[in-house]
């Protein structure tokens, strides 16, 4: 009986707290301001107390239906680290055509001062409006008088004539969310595809209701003597589907290592217009399946027709292809030609802005202009080339048929046994070595006849990172040696891109600081601009912080500081797949000269670890001769993506690697 009373009391408290929560702006309670930490996550720096969005349609004379979105937000700030949550930035479209209108309102900071609620309204100097580029603007608010314990509120609304893709709604954030509600009111003329992401399902309710708009018309009529204008109004009623999504008490979404894009796993709603059916008109389909999506995109004036333009490059390409007969030679030559002629302007997209011809002339273009140009050139060279639609990592995984699932395009050459994938927008790309942004599960290849096929974008070939170290240790524990590091394919691309705007002196200084303050005496880099060859670094170094001398014995980690010392996987459990980006092999070959007058007392034992049907393999081999110690450590990951079900085993696998690499060689004085 006593136990039942306790349970009842807890339930009454929860009900009381729920009822006390007011989901309207301007109704902040003293209890909310007094709260010192989140009820279920004491580490939270802030929390969304509620966020409510409503998406509705309004008929505008001469424009048709426009889409209005209104959002109301209340956020609690617990710690200084959460102050960023008192600011809000939103992008809005300012390009030609359906420009958006965006505005903030009702922005107030609440604090508890001497037991009373103090309100501080947002002033004009806390609002900012800037142009990001010719397509996008950004509005931002910075809330005033924010402290630990503050509650902030604001609302915003945007209006757009583009009704094809409502903005995504995120129920979950990187801080806890107590309550999130989204309403979508859709006229009977529209059908939207909806896709819910994440590991928690919102509660969904659907109801039907009536709505109406008024059509005003005018006509010139004659009364027998003169013409006059007669105005008339017609009320048009229609059925509206009203869908409400509610999620409560969602935990913070944690961004972990080797995650493709955490938004793919965040509880969220994605929508896109699938079809329209206006009165007395036939259905118009937009994206009910991949075939219709592909046909719609291919038929765009700034996509398919651009592939047929060749006159602007023909003379140049004849010179490039002179005396080349093998397909791989043609592919390599054309890829290099475009990368040397046209620079990427940092704009994504699968459609051209100014067209391939102008991009070639101006020597600059967006991703579509560069890679559709590449496709056209490959076709001109007699190769079976087609564009491949891609969703970048930042855009998320293309989970269901819709046009906005893609925001990027590459080229593919069909060679009978498979495909060679190409992206000329990255100066350091190679055939089948795409930039990381494009390594996002699957793309969609579009052929000339309008058919399409799914393409695996993830690399299957190992990318190597091979380090060879030779060093000697003196009796004071000072290490003097040489290092040679060789990277190829994706590892080489990542390194080349990282050095693009970094001077060599700054890189060497960072390398010294990252490796126990070593002193690098000489440094060279080979094949930096020859993408067909591995990139090689060579250096000589001296370090006095690698070893310990205890009781006349020298203790040293044989791989020094050139490998990881901590397990990258720290979470107890994991819901997301582990995305390494590409298969790889990290190999260390170490030769240590035993100092004169010393002998080896202890050395790490050799081991061989195999993870889950050889998805991964770690080998650690040690041998001793009269004057040297030889150690080889190889970690090989054979798949770019490992499922979350294997996370506990993978975490254990990496811990064993770290433990082994942290074991020390012990040298004893003879």
């Amino acid at each position: 009986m006593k136990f039942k009373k306790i349970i009842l009391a807890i339930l009454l408290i929860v009900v009381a707290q729920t009822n006390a929560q007011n989901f309207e702006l301007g109704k902040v309670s003293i209890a909310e301001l007094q709260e010192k930490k989140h009820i279920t996550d004491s580490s939270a720096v802030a929390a969304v107390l509620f966020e409510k969005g409503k998406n509705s349609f309004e008929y505008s004379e001469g424009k048709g239906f426009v889409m209005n979105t209104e959002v109301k937000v209340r956020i609690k700030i617990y710690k200084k680290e959460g102050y960023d949550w008192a600011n809000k930035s939103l992008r809005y479209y300012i390009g030609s055509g359906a420009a958006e209108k965006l505005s903030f309102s009702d922005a107030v900071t609440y604090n508890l001062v001497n037991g009373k609620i103090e309100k501080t309204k947002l002033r004009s100097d806390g609002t900012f409006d800037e142009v990001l580029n010719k397509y996008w603007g950004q509005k931002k608010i910075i809330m005033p008088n924010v402290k630990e314990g503050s509650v902030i509120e604001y609302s915003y609304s945007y209006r757009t004539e583009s009704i094809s893709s409502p903005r995504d709604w995120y129920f979950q954030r990187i801080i806890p969310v107590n309550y999130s509600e989204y309403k979508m009111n859709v006229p009977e003329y529209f059908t939207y595809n909806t896709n819910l992401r994440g590991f928690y399902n919102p509660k969904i309710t659907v109801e039907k209701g009536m709505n109406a708009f008024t059509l005003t018309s005018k006509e010139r009529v004659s009364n027998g003597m003169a013409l006059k204008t007669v105005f008339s109004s017609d009320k048009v009623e229609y059925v509206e589907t009203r869908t409400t999504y509610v999620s409560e008490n969602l935990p913070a979404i944690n961004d972990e290592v080797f995650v493709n894009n955490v938004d793919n796993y965040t509880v969220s709603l994605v929508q896109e217009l699938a079809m329209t059916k206006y009165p007395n008109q036939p259905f118009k389909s937009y994206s009910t399946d991949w075939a219709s999506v592909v046909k719609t995109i291919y038929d765009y004036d700034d996509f398919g027709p651009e592939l047929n333009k060749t006159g602007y490059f023909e003379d140049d390409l004849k010179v490039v292809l002179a005396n080349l007969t093998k397909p791989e030679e043609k592919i390599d030559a054309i890829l290099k030609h475009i990368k040397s002629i046209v620079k990427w302007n940092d704009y994504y997209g699968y459609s051209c802005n100014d067209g391939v011809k102008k991009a070639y002339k101006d020597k600059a273009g967006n991703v579509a202009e560069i890679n559709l140009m590449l496709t056209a050139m490959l076709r001109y060279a007699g190769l079976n080339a087609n564009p491949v639609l891609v969703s970048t990592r930042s855009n998320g995984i293309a989970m269901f048929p819709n046009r906005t699932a893609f925001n990027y395009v590459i080229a593919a050459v069909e060679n009978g046994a498979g495909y060679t994938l190409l992206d000329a927008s990255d100066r350091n790309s190679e055939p089948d070595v795409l930039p990381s942004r494009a390594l996002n599960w699957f793309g969609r290849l579009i052929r000339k006849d309008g058919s399409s096929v799914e393409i695996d974008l993830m690399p299957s070939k190992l990318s190597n990172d091979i380090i060879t170290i030779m060093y000697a240790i003196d009796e004071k524990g000072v290490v003097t040696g040489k290092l040679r590091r060789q990277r190829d394919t994706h590892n080489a691309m990542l390194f080349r891109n990282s050095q693009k705007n970094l001077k060599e002196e700054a890189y060497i200084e960072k390398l010294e600081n990252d490796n126990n303050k070593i002193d690098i005496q000489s440094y060279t880099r080979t094949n930096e601009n020859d993408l067909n060859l591995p990139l090689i670094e060579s250096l000589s170094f001296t370090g006095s912080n690698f070893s310990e001398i205890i009781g006349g014995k020298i203790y040293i980690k044989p791989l020094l500081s050139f490998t990881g010392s901590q397990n990258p996987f720290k979470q107890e459990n994991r819901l997301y797949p582990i995305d390494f980006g590409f298969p790889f092999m990290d190999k260390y070959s170490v030769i240590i000269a035993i100092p004169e007058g010393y002998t080896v007392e202890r050395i790490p034992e050799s081991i061989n670890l195999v993870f889950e049907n050889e998805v991964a393999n770690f080998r650690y081999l040690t041998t001793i001769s009269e004057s040297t110690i030889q150690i080889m450590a190889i970690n090989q990951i054979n798949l770019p993506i490992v499922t979350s079900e294997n996370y506990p085993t993978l975490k254990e696998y990496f811990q064993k690697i770290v433990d082994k690499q942290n074991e020390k060689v012990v040298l004893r004085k003879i």
Side-chain angles (χ1 to χ4, degrees):
M1 251 335 254
K2 186 176 181 182
F3 178 75
K4 289 183 178 179
K5 289 181 179 179
I6 293 173
I7 294 296
L8 180 60
I10 293 172
L11 289 173
L12 289 173
I13 292 171
V14 171
V15 170
Q17 289 178 339
T18 302
N19 291 335
Q21 179 71 64
N22 193 310
F23 299 134
E24 294 298 328
L25 298 184
K27 303 294 184 180
V28 173
S29 67
I30 290 178
E32 288 171 327
L33 290 165
Q34 288 176 331
E35 194 174 87
K36 300 298 182 183
K37 60 184 179 181
H38 192 263
I39 189 169
T40 61
D41 185 355
S42 60
S43 66
V45 298
V48 176
L49 300 183
F50 75 79
E51 185 170 21
K52 296 173 64 177
K54 181 181 179 181
N55 208 66
S56 58
F57 293 78
E58 173 188 316
Y59 188 83
S60 175
E61 197 77 44
K63 295 180 179 179
F65 280 98
V66 296
M67 189 161 56
N68 294 314
T69 305
E70 300 176 351
V71 180
K72 301 175 182 179
V73 186
R74 180 183 296 166
I75 295 174
K76 170 73 177 185
I77 309 297
Y78 295 110
K79 303 175 183 179
K80 291 180 179 178
E81 294 82 358
Y83 282 4
D84 284 346
W85 284 92
N87 310 324
K88 181 69 176 180
S89 298
L90 285 171
R91 295 200 319 166
Y92 63 104
Y93 185 70
I94 59 174
S96 59
E100 294 181 341
K101 294 181 179 179
L102 170 68
S103 62
F104 283 94
S105 60
D106 303 315
V108 181
T109 301
Y110 296 85
N111 289 295
L112 195 61
V113 180
N114 298 322
K116 295 183 178 180
I117 298 176
E118 178 187 81
K119 296 169 57 175
T120 308
K121 293 184 178 181
L122 177 70
R123 301 190 302 267
S124 59
D125 60 359
T127 61
F128 304 88
D129 194 354
E130 60 179 325
V131 175
L132 300 178
N133 53 51
K134 63 181 179 179
Y135 302 108
W136 294 97
Q138 177 175 268
K139 289 190 178 182
K140 181 178 182 179
I141 57 171
I142 299 178
M143 298 297 292
N145 198 24
V146 176
K147 307 172 184 177
E148 292 183 64
S150 296
V151 170
I152 62 107
E153 288 186 339
Y154 57 84
S155 65
Y156 60 88
S157 62
Y158 50 85
R159 178 185 176 93
T160 179
E161 296 171 32
S162 175
I163 64 171
S164 61
S165 300
R167 294 196 180 193
D168 297 350
W169 181 264
Y170 289 90
F171 298 94
Q172 197 173 21
R173 305 285 182 177
I174 61 171
I175 56 174
V177 176
N178 291 5
Y179 183 87
S180 180
E181 175 185 292
Y182 179 77
K183 293 185 177 181
M184 182 73 173
N185 296 345
V186 182
E188 63 181 276
Y189 314 119
F190 310 128
T191 300
Y192 283 84
N193 281 333
T194 60
N195 180 52
L196 282 166
R197 297 172 175 168
F199 298 98
Y200 302 91
N201 294 321
K203 180 183 177 182
I204 304 173
T205 56
V206 181
E207 59 182 15
K208 302 284 186 178
M210 297 302 297
N211 208 333
F213 61 90
T214 301
L215 285 177
T216 302
S217 60
K218 64 180 180 179
E219 61 177 329
R220 300 281 286 172
V221 298
S222 173
N223 60 5
M225 297 182 63
L227 291 173
K228 67 176 183 178
T229 302
V230 176
F231 292 90
S232 61
S233 297
D234 294 303
K235 184 179 180 182
V236 179
E237 293 187 331
Y238 60 90
V239 178
E240 188 174 68
T241 301
R242 299 161 184 168
T243 307
T244 302
Y245 304 82
V246 174
S247 286
E248 297 184 78
N249 303 319
L250 287 175
I253 188 84
N254 294 313
D255 196 356
E256 302 177 27
V257 294
F258 300 117
V259 172
N260 175 315
N261 178 352
V262 73
D263 285 349
N264 291 327
Y265 315 106
T266 302
V267 181
S268 56
L269 174 67
V270 182
Q271 302 172 93
E272 187 188 56
L273 185 64
M275 65 178 66
T276 57
K277 176 62 174 74
Y278 293 105
N280 303 316
Q281 293 185 23
F283 283 100
K284 185 175 181 180
S285 175
Y286 293 91
S287 56
T288 54
D289 53 36
W290 285 121
S292 59
V293 168
V294 166
K295 186 179 186 309
T296 300
I297 292 173
Y298 202 90
D299 289 343
Y300 286 158
D301 291 339
D302 47 18
F303 190 92
E306 296 289 325
L307 292 166
N308 299 323
K309 299 175 182 178
T310 61
Y312 64 95
F313 65 67
E314 287 182 9
D315 291 341
D316 292 341
L317 203 61
K318 287 174 183 176
V319 177
V320 171
L321 296 173
N323 302 319
L324 299 181
T325 57
K326 296 180 180 179
E328 58 269 22
E329 292 176 336
K330 294 180 180 181
I331 291 171
D332 193 53
I334 293 172
L335 182 63
K336 286 179 178 176
H337 173 65
I338 291 186
K339 290 195 294 182
S340 67
I341 293 291
V342 187
K343 182 181 179 182
W344 181 38
N345 60 15
D346 294 332
Y347 289 129
Y348 289 179
Y350 55 68
S351 57
C352 299
N353 291 331
D354 300 314
V356 290
K357 186 176 180 179
K358 191 173 189 302
Y360 194 77
K361 179 183 177 182
D362 294 348
K363 301 184 185 305
N366 71 355
V367 164
E369 285 154 349
I370 290 173
N371 286 327
L372 293 181
M373 182 190 305
L374 171 62
T375 306
M377 288 186 181
L378 293 166
R379 288 179 176 179
Y380 183 82
L383 300 168
N384 185 9
N386 291 293
V388 178
L389 295 169
V390 172
S391 174
T392 60
R393 286 177 172 254
S394 61
N395 193 55
I397 298 167
M399 292 184 174
F400 67 103
N402 64 110
R403 300 179 310 284
T404 55
F406 304 112
N407 67 329
Y408 201 88
V409 63
I410 61 173
V413 176
E414 208 161 349
N415 53 31
Y419 302 91
T420 300
L421 303 181
L422 305 159
D423 185 350
S425 69
D426 192 303
R427 293 299 174 95
N428 293 315
S429 71
E430 304 171 58
D432 282 330
V433 181
L434 302 176
S436 296
R437 59 180 174 265
L439 300 179
N440 195 28
W441 292 31
F442 296 99
R444 198 95 195 161
L445 180 143
I446 313 176
R447 296 194 176 96
K448 294 180 184 179
D449 61 5
S451 64
S452 70
V453 62
E454 191 175 72
I455 294 289
D456 189 350
L457 300 171
M458 304 307 290
S460 57
K461 182 182 177 182
L462 287 176
S463 181
N464 298 309
D465 189 354
I466 301 172
I467 298 177
T468 303
I469 313 171
M470 301 175 63
Y471 63 88
I473 314 168
D474 67 16
E475 60 183 9
K476 295 182 179 179
V478 176
V479 171
T480 303
K482 295 182 178 181
L483 179 145
R484 183 181 187 272
R485 186 169 190 173
Q486 177 177 308
R487 301 176 177 91
D488 64 17
T489 59
H490 287 92
N491 273 314
M493 170 188 270
L494 290 174
F495 181 79
R496 288 181 173 115
N497 286 340
S498 71
Q499 301 304 300
K500 186 165 50 179
N501 299 315
L502 187 65
K503 293 182 178 179
E504 187 174 285
E505 295 80 3
Y507 172 72
I508 292 173
E509 182 180 356
K510 184 176 186 305
L511 195 61
E512 290 177 328
N513 292 333
D514 289 346
N515 289 281
N516 287 347
K517 305 289 184 181
I518 61 173
D519 179 24
I520 295 177
Q521 284 89 38
S522 65
Y523 177 84
T524 59
R525 199 178 290 168
T526 309
N527 303 331
E528 186 168 13
N529 297 315
D530 193 339
L531 306 185
N532 294 327
L533 296 174
L535 188 142
I536 299 172
E537 294 179 278
S538 301
L539 59 92
S540 58
F541 65 93
T542 301
S544 57
N545 299 317
F546 289 125
S547 61
E548 294 178 295
I549 299 177
I550 303 173
K553 298 178 182 179
I554 301 175
Y555 295 78
I556 187 167
K557 290 194 296 184
L559 274 59
L560 304 178
S561 59
F562 297 105
T563 185
S565 60
Q566 292 187 344
N567 189 344
F569 301 107
K570 302 184 184 304
Q571 300 290 333
E572 191 66 29
N573 299 297
R574 177 166 172 147
L575 295 173
Y576 331 126
I578 299 89
D579 189 331
F580 293 108
F582 48 85
F584 63 87
M585 181 182 72
D586 294 341
K587 180 179 179 180
Y588 298 85
S589 298
V590 182
I591 300 177
I592 308 168
I594 301 172
E596 189 174 342
Y598 282 79
T599 187
V600 178
E601 181 177 284
R602 189 169 73 242
I603 189 171
E605 294 181 359
S606 298
I607 63 168
N608 183 26
L609 299 176
V610 179
F611 170 77
E612 295 294 330
N613 298 320
E614 298 191 357
V615 168
N617 178 238
F618 176 71
R619 287 165 286 166
Y620 192 96
L621 308 172
T622 60
T623 57
I624 304 173
S625 66
E626 290 184 0
S627 58
T628 62
I629 301 169
Q630 295 91 39
I631 293 176
M632 182 178 292
I634 303 173
N635 180 26
Q636 185 169 316
I637 304 293
N638 296 314
L639 290 178
I641 299 173
V642 178
T643 62
S644 58
E645 288 80 4
N646 290 317
Y647 175 72
T649 314
L650 186 69
K651 179 182 177 183
E652 182 183 357
Y653 168 84
F654 269 85
Q655 188 59 53
K656 288 179 179 178
I657 293 175
V658 170
D659 291 343
K660 178 56 65 175
Q661 291 176 343
N662 282 329
E663 288 184 17
K664 294 183 178 182
V665 168
V666 180
L667 303 174
R668 174 175 52 82
K669 219 167 190 179
I670 300 174

